[in-house]
Amino acid sequence: SSDIKNGQQMRDLELPSQGMTNIPAGIQKALRIIYGQEMKRLKSQGRRIHHILILLSDGQHNSGEPPDKVFPTLGDTLPDDTKLSVIVVGFSQQSSTSVGMMLKKHIETIAFQANVVQTIYFATTRTALKSALTSLESGLNMALNGSFHEIKTHARSIVNDFASEPEDNARIHVIPGSTCINVLCAFERVPEMIQVNGKELPITVMEDETITFESLSDLMQGLIDRTKVRIVAAKAHNSRQVIAKSIKRLEALYKILEDRRLTEVSTDLQSLSAKERVEQFRTMRRLCTKAAELKNQILDIANFSNSASSSENQASFLNGRSMKFANKALRRAAKNRGEDGIVMDPKVEQKNMQKWLTSNKFITELQDAMNADIIENIKRLSDQKIRSLILPVVEKQRHVDFIWEIRRKAAGRDAATLSQGAEDLLNSGKLAEYLNDSCHGKRRSFISMSTPWQHMEEWKSFGDQKFESSWEMLMYGGLVGYPITLERSAACQMNPFLINVNGVRPSIVDTASICCANQADIPVYGPEGGEPVRDVLVLVDPSMPSSSKMIFNSKLLGEKFTSATIARDLQMYTGATMKIALHTNSLWYLVTTPEQVTEEDEVANLQRTFMDRAFQCAMCGFGPVDHYACSNLHTHHGETAVNNSTVQVSNACPNCDWFSPDINSWNPWDGTVPDSFLDSVRGNQKDSSQYASESRIDLILRVVYSFRKLSNDSTRQEYAEKMNLMDPSDGSNFDFSTKAGVDGLSQLVMALFASDDCEKAKKILNSEACLEALILEDCPRHARTKFRKEANGQKEMARQRAMDYVTKLLGISSDDVNIPHTAPQMESEPPIENVRQDCSDEYSLDSVMAERAVQWVREIAKHWCRVWSFARKFVSIISSGGWDELERDMETSEWNYKDIVQKLKSTKLLHPKNLLLTNGNEDDLSKLRSFFLQTAVSSILSGAADGPLGGDGDILHDAAREMRMRFYMQRVAEKMSIWKQEGQQATFLRARATDIVQFGNLVSSNRHVHGLDKHTFWGLWLAAIDSEEREKILRFLSTANEGFIHKHGGGWGTSVQ
């Protein structure tokens, strides 16, 4: 009614429940009122009225013509210049969100900004409805203080949403305080004029840089909001087409938005200090958050289904609340608890971490640990090593004296305290820098350009910065590590050993810079190129063992960073097992995966090894030429080589034979690698698929070293027990299952490499039976992962896929004549074991599938053979001095364990035919292939189908029999389904036609009638009482229980017991 002028009049209206809902009829009445108001306005030539139509419904349309027939015609009933906004309020699950959006699509001429007035207000309870209406009132008050503007062009070029074609006009709502209007136009040629609010205005073409990220993101958000309305308004069969068209256009605009984001802020993280990293992140955070919100909305649109969504889900979709991409399973209940067992608030947890990191106790302990690492390093170096390695890189002569002073003190030859100069050299990190450059390979993060010592120094200054989140703390303090590529799954949170390590790179990176890059969504590429670096493998650093272990075990890096690495969330840490899993799975990758070496990799590796250390010829420029720690090149020039009397040592240029005995006459190498040098390197290198490189071997040693340093007594005991599982001496069957405590087979590999019991390790590595058992355990695990991944984690679907695969592999189908037939409908089936015994076990292999299955198992076997051959060599090399000696060497200098690296470099990584065959002749190769095929079939059945084969017969024959039995059981299930529908009636008809003797035989087939199935039981009883033959009834009741007799046997005599 147009007579209602205020809220009280609205509240006084009586709105009786009528039981039916005719939404179009109500809308038509409202539009007639609006039409009347518009006619009065036109007649009086008054100001234009902004009409607001509110559709509030608590039920679906169920009376009158359907909305999709009526709504498209309603827009023509109003004058063209009508200003009309539509607000939809849905109450209860019965209300229809799509009907409301259909109404907006066809009659709304001015849409409010969705961040002011929501696209839809939806509530399922009265309390929620009251809150929604309060929010609506607040939004309208703000919106109506804004302004509306009409823009027109001479061609259909204005994009109002991504689901429709461009139009020649747009009516735009602008909230109070806005200084610009954002409109997306698609011009073939930019026109000279555009009409705004009825006035022709000239168009000025600006530079691209004037279009800010802020204005572009606001424009995109408005277009997304209007596009969602179109999608929900579309019929189910049309919505996918609307979505497909919208996504293509959205992604194109989002790419422009991303380019704009990256140009507005600096994305360079190189050489930043801890404070600078945090400031850089804060600058980028706002833009990153908005970009992420828009990206998630695009993903929501791409995955939205009109037909599969309820009205409430449609409302959530329209209002921008993430659906699929925000449903995150947080496992917080078992962790992050205080002493009282209550989950700790993240802000409180952050405050506690910062309190500890800024405490004098932590800072003092860290400084002491850092100094102790350096002093111990100096102590272990011989005088000769100090002269040849460290002194050549020392910048000031007085530092030389201080180094010898520290050396005497470390060796216990000088009881006096250190001089101030020596203290300063130690505490400043300058001595650590000398050691890093001369003994530990010049280890620096390629992003921060900081050494391990310099990154640890940052941990002492947490008090200099205020932090808004734990993420910012991780950007402030970090450690150096190695870039890794991970493949995660939901199951990794329960069992971190299920995470796949798909890459470990030798370049060095720092965790703080990568955290900053990830949170700011900045791609960071390593020197090797390839995929951006997203994750870091943090290890205890041999050059700083005590201090790096202290930081690695801190709550911030040890728990928060590890949690983020495994689960992409700071609150998912479940214990030290997560850190151990990253170590063991990285070791598995490094040992089992052949290196793919490109020319860029070769050059990068040479530059890492020789840059700032090697020289190049002053005559022809050839390099690198390694004259490290040798100032007089005459010393060994022309001498006979120690290991080969036919070879002479030459310090001349390998390319042109130029020679100078003075090292200063040679130019420092500039990093250029001539093709001839690469050819000579390749000529000396062995096949990368059969031999490991120096960088790979160094990484393997560092991973195992770090594992040993992190392991406490409990971990060492656990991995000693895992060694015992592989011990062949007790004569028992090998059990490497999860029930035996093996969550990941990489644990067994780490147990072999990290063990101090070299004799036991040798015994295990000489056991072919143990190797085979590991292969036989690994294959089912791979099969389970493969099929469940294909089935999106659904166990039953994965089981069916595995069974279908084996069935097809063996050439068996549902119409196979050898599948056992079921007995007739009224007859019971014979015992299942009898059917299985008589079932055919013949098969006809699909040759293509069989070859793939063999190859699949062969690849797994290759991995284990690489482990076996490398571990054998490794254990034999370190058995004399053991890990204790190797650890000391790694902590002293890379030169101290260079001999071990060289010996391991010559280790040939063997193949299955080398380790699993005796002779390697054709007959043996055929047996090996048969073993692989049978392993594939049994692994798929036991791993993915949860159906291990029984007996000791031929696996393929047993599998063929079981696949036929599967079809037989399906036929039995179909028979039982029919029996459930028709069994009672069939029994009734059969029993009704029998005489008393035949009826007695049917009843006495069981000791008592309650042993019969439901359909037979009731069929016999109903036949008995229908026949009204007292003898049949009494015969049935003679074996029934008292309860049944009491309830159903009354009137047939009381003599029945």
Side-chain angles (χ1 to χ4, degrees):
S1 170
S2 60
D3 296 329
I4 297 174
K5 303 296 185 182
N6 56 53
Q8 186 58 48
Q9 289 177 312
M10 175 67 77
R11 285 189 287 273
D12 291 341
L13 286 176
E14 294 185 8
L15 302 172
S17 174
Q18 299 175 341
M20 303 297 287
T21 303
N22 188 339
I23 293 176
I27 298 298
Q28 287 171 325
K29 282 187 177 183
L31 291 182
R32 282 197 288 271
I33 295 172
I34 293 173
Y35 178 80
Q37 295 285 350
E38 284 295 297
M39 290 300 100
K40 289 180 183 179
R41 177 185 67 81
L42 290 173
K43 188 174 181 179
S44 64
Q45 295 185 345
R47 292 179 59 188
R48 291 173 66 185
I49 304 169
H50 181 200
H51 305 279
I52 300 175
L53 189 153
I54 300 178
L55 170 62
L56 190 156
S57 175
D58 64 350
Q60 293 185 343
H61 170 82
N62 55 19
S63 175
E65 285 192 90
D68 60 341
K69 297 289 185 184
V70 178
F71 287 176
T73 66
L74 296 180
D76 298 332
T77 62
L78 298 173
D80 290 340
D81 62 346
T82 302
K83 295 169 64 177
L84 173 60
S85 299
V86 176
I87 296 172
V88 181
V89 182
F91 180 55
S92 84
Q93 295 284 3
Q94 283 68 47
S95 64
S96 175
T97 300
S98 60
V99 167
M101 296 308 104
M102 198 184 305
L103 180 65
K104 287 176 72 71
K105 172 185 174 182
H106 290 294
I107 71 169
E108 186 172 59
T109 60
I110 297 177
F112 290 114
Q113 287 193 26
N115 62 336
V116 179
V117 178
Q118 292 178 197
T119 306
I120 183 172
Y121 293 84
F122 193 91
T124 56
T125 65
R126 292 190 177 191
T127 302
L129 179 61
K130 184 178 179 180
S131 175
L133 293 177
T134 301
S135 176
L136 168 59
E137 182 181 10
S138 174
L140 276 176
N141 287 335
M142 178 182 289
L144 294 177
N145 285 323
S147 57
F148 297 88
H149 304 275
E150 187 167 10
I151 299 174
K152 290 185 177 180
T153 58
H154 298 295
R156 300 177 70 87
S157 55
I158 299 177
V159 179
N160 285 316
D161 60 74
F162 290 111
S164 310
E165 295 305 313
E167 299 181 8
D168 60 1
N169 71 90
R171 290 170 180 169
I172 298 172
H173 169 236
V174 178
I175 62 174
S178 296
T179 57
C180 66
I181 302 172
N182 300 311
V183 184
L184 179 64
C185 299
F187 294 118
E188 287 187 9
R189 188 176 65 181
V190 179
E192 295 181 359
M193 307 292 288
I194 192 169
Q195 191 179 99
V196 180
N197 298 330
K199 295 181 180 179
E200 293 281 338
L201 298 175
I203 292 179
T204 303
V205 179
M206 310 291 287
E207 296 292 333
D208 284 349
E209 287 72 13
T210 59
I211 304 174
T212 66
F213 174 89
E214 194 74 38
S215 60
L216 194 56
S217 61
D218 287 345
L219 169 64
M220 192 170 180
Q221 183 63 68
L223 291 167
I224 286 175
D225 292 334
R226 293 191 288 275
T227 300
K228 288 179 177 179
V229 172
R230 297 280 177 169
I231 291 170
V232 176
K235 292 183 179 179
H237 64 277
N238 287 333
S239 63
R240 290 314 305 170
Q241 297 176 359
V242 174
I243 288 171
K245 181 194 293 184
S246 303
I247 286 297
K248 188 174 182 180
R249 295 170 176 177
L250 274 167
E251 288 178 341
L253 187 58
Y254 183 79
K255 187 177 185 306
I256 297 172
L257 182 77
E258 268 294 278
D259 292 341
R260 177 60 54 213
R261 179 178 72 87
L262 295 175
T263 58
E264 285 194 13
V265 295
S266 171
T267 58
D268 185 10
L269 298 174
Q270 201 157 29
S271 302
L272 296 184
S273 68
K275 277 190 173 183
E276 289 169 338
R277 279 194 298 270
V278 175
E279 290 305 315
Q280 179 85 316
F281 165 70
R282 289 176 178 174
T283 303
M284 296 180 287
R285 178 176 52 191
R286 180 181 54 82
L287 305 187
C288 295
T289 302
K290 184 61 180 177
E293 288 174 358
L294 292 171
K295 187 174 183 179
N296 281 340
Q297 290 183 70
I298 295 173
L299 292 171
D300 279 346
I301 290 174
N303 289 276
F304 180 75
S305 172
N306 233 354
S307 58
S309 299
S310 65
S311 285
E312 186 174 9
N313 286 341
Q314 289 175 334
S316 297
F317 168 71
L318 288 163
N319 290 331
R321 298 186 207 100
S322 182
M323 301 174 302
K324 174 181 176 182
F325 295 92
N327 295 330
K328 202 173 184 183
L330 294 178
R331 297 177 60 246
R332 301 168 188 245
K335 55 130 351 263
N336 274 358
R337 296 182 183 274
E339 292 180 1
D340 55 0
I342 299 173
V343 177
M344 189 177 293
D345 180 85
K347 284 291 182 185
V348 175
E349 192 176 38
Q350 176 198 330
K351 186 177 179 181
N352 289 344
M353 284 192 295
Q354 191 165 1
K355 184 178 179 181
W356 165 244
L357 294 173
T358 56
S359 67
N360 288 332
K361 187 175 188 300
F362 170 79
I363 295 171
T364 301
E365 287 181 0
L366 179 58
Q367 185 65 61
D368 289 346
M370 293 166 66
N371 288 349
D373 285 336
I374 300 304
I375 292 172
E376 186 64 23
N377 197 163
I378 286 287
K379 176 182 176 181
R380 288 176 176 171
L381 284 167
S382 66
D383 291 351
Q384 190 275 328
K385 289 282 187 182
I386 291 176
R387 290 189 185 94
S388 62
L389 296 177
I390 300 178
L391 298 189
V393 301
V394 173
E395 297 172 357
K396 300 177 181 179
Q397 179 58 42
R398 57 192 176 90
H399 286 176
V400 174
D401 299 332
F402 295 147
I403 289 172
W404 287 118
E405 179 185 346
I406 294 170
R407 163 78 171 142
R408 288 193 299 272
K409 177 69 176 176
R413 297 198 299 265
D414 188 349
T417 58
L418 292 176
S419 64
Q420 187 60 50
E423 285 277 3
D424 292 343
L425 182 66
L426 183 62
N427 293 327
S428 67
K430 196 62 183 177
L431 180 54
E433 183 180 331
Y434 292 154
L435 286 169
N436 182 64
D437 288 353
S438 61
C439 298
H440 299 288
K442 296 187 176 181
R443 291 168 53 76
R444 282 178 172 80
S445 164
F446 70 80
I447 303 178
S448 68
M449 305 306 292
S450 296
T451 65
W453 174 284
Q454 289 166 339
H455 272 289
M456 290 182 208
E457 275 285 313
E458 293 173 346
W459 283 77
K460 297 189 296 181
S461 57
F462 271 92
D464 298 344
Q465 177 77 37
K466 290 185 177 180
F467 301 97
E468 297 176 7
S469 67
S470 296
W471 282 115
E472 287 192 353
M473 293 180 71
L474 283 170
M475 296 171 204
Y476 191 86
L479 271 185
V480 295
Y482 296 92
I484 53 173
T485 305
L486 301 177
E487 181 184 348
R488 300 170 181 83
S489 67
C492 296
Q493 297 170 21
M494 294 296 293
N495 179 6
F497 292 97
L498 293 178
I499 197 165
N500 284 334
V501 177
N502 294 330
V504 183
R505 305 184 199 174
S507 54
I508 300 170
V509 71
D510 65 283
T511 61
S513 296
I514 293 301
C515 276
C516 184
N518 286 346
Q519 290 300 298
D521 200 18
I522 300 172
V524 173
Y525 297 91
E528 306 91 346
E531 293 295 312
V533 178
R534 294 290 184 189
D535 296 292
V536 182
L537 174 65
V538 181
L539 303 175
V540 177
D541 193 331
S543 68
M544 305 282 293
S546 300
S547 48
S548 61
K549 179 181 176 180
M550 180 180 173
I551 290 176
F552 198 2
N553 283 332
S554 68
K555 189 176 187 67
L556 181 61
L557 196 80
E559 295 187 15
K560 296 302 176 185
F561 183 78
T562 302
S563 175
T565 302
I566 295 282
R568 281 286 182 261
D569 190 288
L570 294 179
Q571 308 300 328
M572 308 293 272
Y573 186 72
T574 55
T577 306
M578 280 187 159
K579 289 187 278 190
I580 297 299
L582 286 171
H583 280 67
T584 62
N585 289 12
S586 295
L587 175 64
W588 171 262
Y589 170 84
L590 290 167
V591 177
T592 63
T593 309
E595 298 175 76
Q596 302 298 323
V597 182
T598 64
E599 182 172 318
E600 289 77 11
D601 292 333
E602 291 176 317
V603 172
N605 189 45
L606 288 168
Q607 290 172 343
R608 277 193 300 272
T609 305
F610 294 109
M611 187 62 79
D612 298 329
R613 155 184 152 180
F615 300 87
Q616 66 186 45
C617 177
M619 186 65 65
C620 68
F622 181 89
V625 179
D626 192 16
H627 293 319
Y628 190 68
C630 183
S631 58
N632 186 353
L633 300 184
H634 259 316
T635 303
H636 300 291
H637 184 61
E639 290 182 359
T640 302
V642 175
N643 299 323
N644 192 335
S645 60
T646 63
V647 176
Q648 281 189 327
V649 174
S650 174
N651 286 330
C653 171
N655 186 54
C656 70
D657 288 331
W658 175 83
F659 174 74
S660 171
D662 184 1
I663 194 68
N664 295 317
S665 299
W666 295 73
N667 296 328
W669 182 46
D670 62 5
T672 303
V673 183
D675 291 340
S676 58
F677 188 91
L678 282 177
D679 291 339
S680 66
V681 170
R682 290 167 186 155
N684 294 327
Q685 286 178 342
K686 298 169 182 175
D687 183 359
S688 62
S689 66
Q690 293 187 325
Y691 297 88
S693 67
E694 285 187 33
S695 59
R696 175 66 65 91
I697 293 167
D698 186 62
L699 272 171
I700 291 171
L701 296 179
R702 287 178 179 274
V703 169
V704 182
Y705 169 90
S706 179
F707 167 83
R708 286 175 54 88
K709 288 295 181 181
L710 287 175
S711 298
N712 54 24
D713 291 341
S714 174
T715 305
R716 282 189 284 272
Q717 178 62 32
E718 177 190 350
Y719 278 77
E721 291 170 0
K722 286 178 173 44
M723 276 279 285
N724 292 335
L725 293 176
M726 296 183 282
D727 190 350
S729 59
D730 61 4
S732 60
N733 292 327
F734 295 104
D735 183 3
F736 304 132
S737 65
T738 52
K739 290 181 180 179
V742 184
D743 293 321
L745 294 179
S746 63
Q747 292 176 284
L748 301 178
V749 179
M750 181 62 81
L752 279 172
F753 277 85
S755 175
D756 286 317
D757 192 343
C758 292
E759 292 308 311
K760 180 180 284 188
K762 287 179 181 179
K763 189 187 303 180
I764 292 169
L765 293 166
N766 286 327
S767 170
E768 185 179 318
C770 181
L771 176 59
E772 284 191 16
L774 286 164
I775 295 169
L776 291 173
E777 174 64 30
D778 201 6
C779 289
R781 294 190 184 215
H782 272 267
R784 185 182 302 114
T785 301
K786 175 181 180 295
F787 284 100
R788 287 192 183 176
K789 188 175 181 180
E790 291 176 359
N792 294 321
Q794 298 181 38
K795 185 176 179 180
E796 181 55 30
M797 184 186 294
R799 193 182 76 83
Q800 291 297 333
R801 282 175 174 265
M803 299 285 271
D804 291 343
Y805 179 90
V806 174
T807 301
K808 187 176 179 182
L809 170 66
L810 299 176
I812 299 169
S813 61
S814 59
D815 56 359
D816 192 314
V817 295
N818 292 319
I819 296 172
H821 294 281
T822 54
Q825 189 67 46
M826 295 299 293
E827 296 181 16
S828 61
E829 294 296 316
I832 188 69
E833 286 307 317
N834 292 355
V835 179
R836 179 175 280 107
Q837 189 172 356
D838 295 335
C839 182
S840 170
D841 63 357
E842 295 302 314
Y843 61 84
S844 177
L845 283 175
D846 183 310
S847 58
V848 175
M849 292 182 69
E851 188 55 40
R852 288 175 182 167
V854 168
Q855 187 60 30
W856 169 63
V857 177
R858 183 183 286 121
E859 284 302 311
I860 293 172
K862 275 184 182 179
H863 290 161
W864 283 104
C865 289
R866 287 175 68 92
V867 169
W868 231 240
S869 50
F870 193 88
R872 279 180 179 177
K873 184 72 171 182
F874 175 74
V875 171
S876 68
I877 291 173
I878 70 162
S879 58
S880 58
W883 258 107
D884 288 341
E885 181 180 324
L886 179 55
E887 285 178 357
R888 285 194 299 272
D889 287 342
M890 293 179 70
E891 290 166 3
T892 304
S893 163
E894 63 179 0
W895 307 103
N896 283 50
Y897 65 100
K898 197 79 170 178
D899 58 328
I900 291 180
V901 173
Q902 292 301 320
K903 289 176 184 177
L904 289 172
K905 186 180 175 184
S906 65
T907 304
K908 187 173 183 180
L909 303 175
L910 303 177
H911 288 229
K913 64 181 180 181
N914 306 121
L915 287 174
L916 298 177
L917 294 181
T918 306
N919 299 315
N921 55 34
E922 286 299 321
D923 192 35
D924 274 358
L925 289 172
S926 178
K927 289 179 182 178
L928 184 61
R929 187 182 183 282
S930 176
F931 167 71
F932 286 158
L933 181 58
Q934 296 197 48
T935 300
V937 172
S938 64
S939 297
I940 291 170
L941 291 177
S942 62
D946 295 327
L949 298 172
D952 298 321
D954 183 279
I955 290 173
L956 300 185
H957 285 291
D958 289 345
R961 182 186 296 110
E962 290 305 316
M963 294 307 100
R964 288 191 177 91
M965 288 300 295
R966 175 190 177 213
F967 285 118
Y968 166 71
M969 295 307 296
Q970 289 174 356
R971 291 177 179 179
V972 171
E974 291 170 4
K975 174 183 173 181
M976 293 305 298
S977 177
I978 296 171
W979 176 250
K980 286 179 182 179
Q981 299 172 19
E982 304 174 2
Q984 183 173 310
Q985 181 67 13
T987 303
F988 172 80
L989 294 174
R990 180 180 178 188
R992 190 179 182 190
T994 60
D995 57 28
I996 185 60
V997 176
Q998 294 170 325
F999 185 85
N1001 290 336
L1002 291 174
V1003 172
S1004 62
S1005 61
N1006 282 64
R1007 284 170 42 189
H1008 52 80
V1009 289
H1010 295 288
L1012 300 169
D1013 64 72
K1014 174 183 176 181
H1015 312 290
T1016 303
F1017 178 93
W1018 287 107
L1020 290 171
W1021 172 245
L1022 293 174
I1025 60 176
D1026 184 73
S1027 67
E1028 297 187 353
E1029 294 182 32
R1030 180 180 174 81
E1031 290 182 343
K1032 285 186 177 181
I1033 295 171
L1034 294 178
R1035 182 72 185 83
F1036 186 93
L1037 293 175
S1038 65
T1039 60
N1041 61 34
E1042 290 183 8
F1044 184 86
I1045 295 171
H1046 178 75
K1047 186 174 182 179
H1048 299 282
W1052 299 105
T1054 57
S1055 60
V1056 177
Q1057 299 298 321

